[in-house]
């Protein structure tokens, strides 16, 4: 049986409030799936339903091909890392890690082996007899990870496991997670609201909003081909520019200005039917210049945010706000500037449904395979 | 087929929860036999005229309620009860609150000593305390009266003076109750983060404001608990000194609802009246509980 | 925190006065128990007796099987405490970690028993105990005190302070409820359970209205009942022997308190009764 | 695990002990002996030791009966409470002490059997025991409103006036104390004036015994033909005197009983009007020249003193229990036992032949002067007013409430007595 998790019309509601609406998707064996979304979007609820900590209001959940709706947590072969780590405060590091194994009556030798190996991997040597309260945040996180790892379960669930760590620790913790996954190849479901974590760690991202799945795809596709306005805006920082616009005969009109799209876009757009559209472009895909450009829009700099390596430049064009990014530090507030969207990086959305109108077929960016990505991380 | 699965699923849920019921069984059984059965029996008795031993109980309908509610003495005792409540709240809620605050937040020395010493009487029998206080507070011959006598003061004849008797019995009760409440409140205040208080001190906020506007709201959950427990438990505690010292006298001036129920049942053996008074007392308590649930529980969420 | 010196001194004076008020009766009782009765009447002020005597204790031990009575009291208090704590713990666990039909109503009903005055339950309980043939027995005294809603309330409060994720982690390991109770919940609520246990023990130890009703023979007395033997309005109270009984009655709670003082205050402080 | 086991074994031990305890008491009925319960109110300071001794001695000499004594705290009221509970549960002891004020309530509500009935049925030899040994007016004390013999008088007490001779002398008063109530009032005034101490204290327990003595000696009657009649002119006059001392003159103490006695013993009050049962307490603890004198009367009137104390009544329901009860009682009423009883309690013996008997109290009385006041005034003893009917106890309670009202100064004597009398008579109908 494949170590898959399959949602079939899964719903979850508390009283009248639906927190998860009609969920349909499959998490593949050995995959690192990230559940991403702002707080309150239902991502943790999904994780907890997989763990069996929440009942499923409607629909079916399959794991390993078996229906799991009413299987108690303990029989689902999952391990979980909680945001607050949930370490038993009265047990030492070692007791914390082996407690679950003891409950499962694992042979002593096997227990020792597993303990030793995980202590090694997660660099917990020397901390065996400490109580959680005497550990640093990073150490606690590693103990929680170790406790989940020793179980060697098929499914590995993580609920914002890194959110209580500072930036540096996060990076190293991420590497440890990857290491663990490479060793045991569990199916990982990982909840976070941090898109960088998502982009770097995920095989696929499931982006949630308001209890609904917005998009489920590889990080590349989520970034480059957002399925809707929400995805476009949520992924990427600064957030994508979304402007009200008209599309007429190859020209995109924003207020009094307009620019022309390239031929493949024209061809693509001709096949779509729509009334009003929204035009989207990421700040990093805007070319910025002091002198007029063809297909450029004129605007005025309102505010500059210096990020060191680059600056975010807040502009106003035709009464709409836009953000651009530049590595050039010589911009001045109040200056008149011209911006030009890179024409193969633009997005169009149906204004009413906020759904993407799609992209021309011959997009240039490479679509990495999961294996390729993993080598890079 | 699908219905069968549904039923099975339902049963499965129940199986998970069955243990919950099982865990409650010991408590439920004990309460059912030793609390609820007596309670229903009391409700039943409140409709009868009976002296506990005669073989026949005379059904009198609501007459006991009518008798009790039209008896001016009931209102006197109700008044006493409220006086007790007010006094006990002041001595056992307000004072320990302030004490706990000052000892924990303001003082630097002797904290441990004060805690230990004030908690100590909570461990001693109230019967012993009552006997002792009767002796110590004898308005003519007690040590206190003698010491007062040196400076030409007289102790009021509290055992026979309306008002004073309630004050003194409340003090005796407080002797036992004070320390327990103090420790609870101390624990709660002690749990408030020091940063918040230090921050307030840096803003030069006076102590009384810190107490009222920071400590009080942040420890309100315990405060409410102590408040309720003071009202309910203390009234039951007061029973002991009333019985030992004054037997409700003079002329019911120190009786409260609980002692009066006892008096009716065991001194003049009017079971029906006693039951009626008990029921009324409980109704009042439940009203309090209800108010607490309705208004207070909601307000104290932010503590956790 | 800094306050000005006079304020601090004033507070210390107030607290000292309060401490004296609270401790004086205990010291006084102790002093009285070593005085001849005549002295107690005529020299009320000297708390430390001029001529101390063991006479009161001798009278007491001659009159009553004090050890036996102390043992009775101990057995009653211990058994009642254990039962109360265990039933309350189980009930609280059910209320916190299970979701079942009627839970809230049931909780409300059980908690409302705190509000039932004991006068309500006294006579019917006497009838039950008598019906069971347990009059004049230790079990007769213990039986109606096997459960206590205050315990349920306090232990539940304390359990609610345990992060739910701790239990969930254990559930994911397929840990049974009994094991979770024993290995996780109990150690974490131990301060609360201990402080409540101590409290139950002390109150049962000091109880007097109910044992008076149940016990008949001297051999079955509890200490507060023994105290009653020296109190009589008609024949005059033998105050000093009564104080000797009081001191004996106080010894166990006081010893408990003084020995484990730090621990007891600690558990009460950290029991998280909120 | 080890600690777990330890805890478990301790628990097991305790439960085992608890079980043993209950076992122990259940098996007191060993062998052939009939086990009966004797309920008394005698605290250690009030003859408790003597009860223990007598019961022990009886058990030793009897082959057929084993008595278990139960002490009931809080006097006759406390005993009555426990008896209520016991009766409600369908049980009963064999012999109980019933305080006089509960005479009617007891006989109306509890099952009892007249001692003479038991004697007639089972003990022909004792047929005339009661007639021979007790004076008829004493036996009458134990007759209820319907004239039935409910029990046999066991402890008789009467109120006497204890005086602090040192204080009287200091105030220049007759060291033999006042003879009349009028004198009591005068004495008190002088004492207050001369010594600054209180002059007088009259006992204030939860009954109206002393009040009855005060009022009836002045010619008032608490009960006439089953109706309350204390609010007569004589009654009002008598009560007024006490009230004036407390409220107007402030020469008399109005305070709880034990506190009042405490104040007498430590010399804060010169005279105390209370039961002879306090004799040993006062005698052994007062450090001044203390004496007991006869109860004061009213100028030119006969003293009427209600008998205090209790009777023994048989509440056993089964025949063998009743037989055993009488065997035990016969032992208690023997001259020797009676003498012990008197020595232990200070009560006046109800039997007519005990005081003079060599094996009785002869030497004891010679040595204890205070007793003589009580014995001498026995001819003035009348029954304790016990209101008949279901509401008797309520009536009693109303009088207690009245005492607080009058002595607390919240109501005038006349108004208080009259309205209370009316209220009681309404209740009694």
């Amino acid at each position: 049986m494949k170590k898959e998790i399959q949602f079939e019309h899964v719903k979850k509601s508390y009283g009248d409030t639906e927190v998860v609406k009609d969920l349909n998707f499959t998490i593949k064996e050995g995959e690192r799936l990230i559940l991403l979304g702002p707080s309150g979007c239902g991502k943790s609820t999904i994780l907890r339903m997989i763990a069996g900590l929440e009942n499923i209001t409607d629909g079916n959940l399959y794991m390993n091909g078996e229906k799991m709706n009413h299987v108690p947590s303990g029989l689902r072969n999952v391990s979980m890392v909680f945001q607050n780590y949930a370490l038993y405060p009265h047990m030492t590091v070692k007791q914390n890690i082996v407690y679950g194994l003891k409950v499962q009556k694992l042979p002593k030798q096997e227990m020792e082996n597993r303990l030793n190996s995980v202590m090694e991997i997660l660099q917990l040597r020397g901390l065996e007899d400490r109580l959680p309260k005497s550990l640093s945040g990073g150490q606690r996180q590693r103990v929680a990870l170790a406790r989940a790892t020793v179980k060697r379960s098929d499914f590995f669930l993580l609920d914002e496991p890194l959110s209580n760590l500072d930036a540096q620790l996060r990076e190293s913790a991420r590497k440890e997670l990857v290491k663990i996954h490479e060793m045991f190849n569990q199916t990982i479901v990982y909840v976070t609201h941090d898109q960088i974590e998502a982009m770097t760690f995920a095989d696929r991202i499931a982006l949630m909003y308001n209890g609904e799945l917005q998009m489920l795809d590889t990080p590349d596709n989520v970034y480059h081909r957002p399925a809707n306005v929400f995805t476009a805006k949520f992924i990427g920082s600064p957030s994508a520019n979304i402007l009200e616009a008209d599309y007429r005969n190859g020209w995109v009109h924003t207020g009094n200005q307009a620019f022309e799209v390239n031929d493949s876009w024209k061809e693509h757009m001709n096949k779509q039917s729509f009334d009003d559209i929204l035009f989207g472009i990421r700040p990093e895909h805007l070319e910025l210049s002091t002198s007029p450009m063809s297909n450029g829009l004129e605007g005025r700099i309102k505010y500059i945010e210096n990020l060191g390596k680059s600056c975010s430049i807040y502009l106003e064009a035709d009464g709409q706000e836009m953000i651009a990014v530049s590595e050039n530090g010589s911009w001045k507030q109040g200056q008149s500037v011209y911006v030009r969207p890179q024409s193969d990086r633009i997005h169009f959305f149906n204004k009413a449904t906020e759904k993407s109108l799609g992209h021309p077929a011959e997009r240039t960016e490479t679509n990495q395979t999961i294996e390729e990505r993993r080598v890079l991380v | 087929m699908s219905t069968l699965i549904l039923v099975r699923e339902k049963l499965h849920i129940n199986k998970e929860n069955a243990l919950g019921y099982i865990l409650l069984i010991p408590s439920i059984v004990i309460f059912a036999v030793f609390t609820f059965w007596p309670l229903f029996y009391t409700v039943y008795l409140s409709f009868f005229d009976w002296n506990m031993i005669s073989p026949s109980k005379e059904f009198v309908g609501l007459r006991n309620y009518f008798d009790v509610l039209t008896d001016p003495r009931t209102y006197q005792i109700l008044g006493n009860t409220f006086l007790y409540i007010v006094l006990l709240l002041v001595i056992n809620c307000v004072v320990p609150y302030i004490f706990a605050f000052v000892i924990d937040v303001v003082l630097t020395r002797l904290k441990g000593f004060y805690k230990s010493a004030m908690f100590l009487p909570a461990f001693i029998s109230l019967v012993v305390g009552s006997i002792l206080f009767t002796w110590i507070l004898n308005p003519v011959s007690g040590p206190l009266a003698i010491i007062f006598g040196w400076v030409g003061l007289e102790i009021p004849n509290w055992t026979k003076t309306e008002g004073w008797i309630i004050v003194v019995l409340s003090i005796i009760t407080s002797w036992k109750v004070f320390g327990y409440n103090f420790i609870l409140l101390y624990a709660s205040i002690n749990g408030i983060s020091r940063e918040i208080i230090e921050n307030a001190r840096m803003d030069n906020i006076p102590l009384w404001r810190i107490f009222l506007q920071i400590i009080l709201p942040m420890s309100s959950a315990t405060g409410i608990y102590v408040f309720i427990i003071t009202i309910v438990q203390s009234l039951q505690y007061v029973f002991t000194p009333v019985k030992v010292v004054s037997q409700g006298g003079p002329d019911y001036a120190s009786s409260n609802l609980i002692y009066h129920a006892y008096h009716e049942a065991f001194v003049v053996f009017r079971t029906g009246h006693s039951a009626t008074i008990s029921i009324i007392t409980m109704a009042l308590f439940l009203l309090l509980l209800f108010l607490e649930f309705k208004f207070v529980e909601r307000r104290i969420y932010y503590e956790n | 925190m800094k306050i000005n010196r006079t304020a601090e001194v004033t507070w210390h004076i107030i607290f000292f006065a309060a401490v004296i008020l609270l401790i004086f009766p205990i010291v006084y009782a102790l002093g009285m128990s070593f005085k001849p009765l005549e002295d107690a009447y005529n020299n009320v002020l000297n708390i430390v007796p001029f001529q101390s005597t063991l006479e009161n204790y001798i009278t007491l031990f001659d009159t009553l099987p004090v050890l036996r009575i102390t043992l009775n009291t101990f057995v009653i208090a211990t058994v009642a405490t254990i039962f109360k704590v265990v039933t309350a713990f189980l009930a609280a666990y059910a209320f916190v970690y299970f979701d079942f039909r009627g839970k809230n109503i049931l909780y409300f009903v059980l908690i409302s028993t705190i509000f039932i005055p004991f006068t309500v339950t006294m006579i019917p309980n006497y009838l039950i105990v008598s019906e069971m043939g347990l009059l004049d027995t230790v079990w007769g005294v213990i039986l109606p005190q096997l459960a206590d809603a205050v315990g349920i309330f306090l232990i539940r409060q304390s359990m609610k302070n345990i992060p739910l994720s701790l239990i969930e982690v254990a559930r994911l390991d397929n840990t049974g409820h009994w094991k979770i109770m024993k290995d996780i919940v109990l150690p974490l609520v131990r301060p609360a359970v201990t402080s409540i246990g101590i409290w139950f023990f002390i109150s049962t130890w000091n109880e007097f209205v109910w044992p008076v009703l149940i016990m008949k023979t001297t051999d079955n007395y509890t200490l507060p009942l023994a105290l009653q033997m020296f109190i009589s309005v008609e024949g005059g109270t033998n105050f000093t022997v009564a104080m000797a009984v009081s001191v004996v009655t106080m010894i166990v709670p006081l010893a408990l308190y003084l020995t484990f003082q730090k621990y007891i205050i600690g558990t009460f402080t950290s029991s998280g009764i909120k | 695990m080890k600690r777990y086991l330890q805890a478990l074994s301790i628990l097991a031990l305790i439960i085992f002990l608890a079980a043993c305890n209950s076992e122990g008491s259940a098996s007191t009925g060993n062998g052939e002996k009939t086990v009966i319960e004797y309920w008394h109110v005698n605290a250690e300071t009030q003859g408790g030791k003597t009860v223990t001794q007598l019961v022990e001695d009886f058990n030793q000499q009897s082959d057929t009966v084993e008595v278990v004594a139960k002490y009931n705290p809080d006097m006759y009221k406390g005993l009555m409470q426990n008896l209520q509970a016991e009766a409600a549960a369908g049980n009963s002891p064999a012999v109980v002490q019933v305080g006089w004020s509960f005479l009617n309530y007891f006989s109306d509500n509890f099952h009892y059997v007249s001692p003479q009935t038991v004697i007639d049925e089972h003990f022909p030899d004792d047929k005339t025991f009661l007639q021979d040994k007790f004076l008829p007016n004493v036996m009458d004390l134990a007759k209820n409103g319907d004239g039935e013999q409910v029990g046999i008088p066991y402890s008789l007490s009467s109120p006497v006036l204890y005086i602090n001779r040192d204080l009287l002398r200091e105030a220049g008063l007759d060291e033999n104390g006042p003879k009349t109530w009028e004198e009591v009032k005068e004495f008190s005034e002088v004492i207050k004036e001369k010594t600054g101490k209180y002059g007088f204290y009259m006992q204030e327990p939860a009954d109206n015994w002393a009040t009855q003595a005060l009022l009836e000696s002045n010619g008032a009657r608490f009960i006439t033909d089953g109706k309350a009649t204390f609010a007569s002119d004589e009654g009002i006059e008598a009560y007024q005197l006490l009230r004036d001392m407390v409220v107007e003159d402030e020469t008399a103490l109005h305070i709880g009983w034990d506190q009042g006695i405490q104040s007498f013993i430590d010399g804060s009050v010169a005279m105390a009007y209370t039961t002879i049962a306090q004799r040993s307490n006062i005698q052994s603890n007062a450090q001044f020249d203390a004496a007991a004198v006869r109860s004061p009367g009213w100028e030119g009137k006969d003293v009427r003193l209600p008998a205090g104390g209790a009777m023994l009544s048989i509440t056993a329901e089964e025949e063998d229990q009743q037989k055993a009860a009488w065997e035990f009682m016969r032992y208690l009423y023997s001259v020797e036992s009676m003498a012990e009883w008197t020595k232990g309690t200070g009560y006046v013996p109800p039997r007519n032949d005990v005081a003079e008997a060599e094996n009785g109290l002869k030497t004891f009385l010679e040595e204890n002067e205070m007793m003589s006041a009580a014995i001498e005034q026995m001819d003035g003893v009348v029954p304790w007013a016990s209101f008949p009917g279901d509401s008797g106890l309520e009536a009693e309670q109303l009088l207690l409430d009245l005492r607080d009202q009058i002595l607390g100064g919240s109501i005038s004597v006349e108004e208080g007595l009259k309205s209370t009398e009316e209220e009681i008579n309404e209740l009694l109908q």
Side-chain angles (χ1 to χ4, degrees), chain B residues 23 46 57 89 94 145 147 151 153 236 241 243-244 294:
Chain B
L23 295 176
S46 72
K57 305 183 184 81
L89 280 179
V94 178
I147 293 168
V151 289
L153 289 172
Q236 307 214 26
K243 186 171 187 305
V244 174
K294 193 152 166 72

Side-chain angles (χ1 to χ4, degrees), chain A residues 352-372:
Chain A
T353 63
E354 298 202 340
K355 289 231 165 71
S356 171
L357 294 174
H359 298 87
E362 74 286 6
R363 293 285 299 254
T364 49
E365 64 270 1
T366 54
N367 213 336
Q368 291 171 335
T369 61
I370 287 173
E371 285 67 30
E372 282 166 343

Side-chain angles (χ1 to χ4, degrees), chain D residues 337-349:
Chain D
S337 303
M338 286 266 86
E340 285 310 308
W341 180 234
T342 305
K343 286 177 199 166
T345 57
Y347 287 128
V348 180

Side-chain angles (χ1 to χ4, degrees), chain D residues 394-408:
Chain D
E394 263 179 270
E396 181 88 10
Q397 184 61 44
L398 283 173
L399 269 170
L400 285 178
D401 302 343
L402 176 66
R403 180 176 73 201
D404 284 331
Q405 289 160 7
I406 290 179
L407 297 185

